[in-house]
């Protein structure tokens, strides 16, 4: 006979959800603002393709995961 299955629990206590949500939202807003400020203030000659691809790839993967139902 198989042992009873354990219930799946969150690695984070439920009481931390509001604090973590505000913290993660703040991090996202700061990163987004820094990207837009970088794009608006740098000239075409000073832009770095590697930095733009890294930032775009990070945001792209985040939204890909969110659209697939993986809430990170």
């Amino acid at each position: 006979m198989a042992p009873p299955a354990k219930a799946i629990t969150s690695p984070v206590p439920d009481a931390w959800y509001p604090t973590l949500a505000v913290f993660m939202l703040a991090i996202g807003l700061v990163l987004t603002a820094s990207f837009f400020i970088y794009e608006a203030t740098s000239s075409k000659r000073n832009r770095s393709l590697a930095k733009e691809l890294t930032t775009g790839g990070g945001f792209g993967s985040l939204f890909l995961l969110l659209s697939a139902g993986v809430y990170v």
Side-chain angles (χ1 to χ4, degrees), residues 9-70:
T9 59
S10 172
V12 178
D14 292 344
W16 290 9
Y17 285 174
T19 305
L20 286 175
V22 169
F23 183 66
M24 295 296 186
L25 182 64
I27 290 173
L29 288 174
V30 167
L31 289 175
T32 304
S34 69
F35 178 72
F36 284 126
I37 290 171
Y38 171 75
E39 289 294 323
T41 59
S42 63
S43 66
K44 289 191 184 247
R45 201 175 316 160
N46 295 337
R47 289 185 182 161
S48 167
L49 180 62
K51 183 173 181 177
E52 291 185 21
L53 288 175
T54 302
T55 307
F59 284 124
S61 5
L62 171 68
F63 287 117
L64 175 68
L65 288 171
L66 290 175
S67 69
V70 180

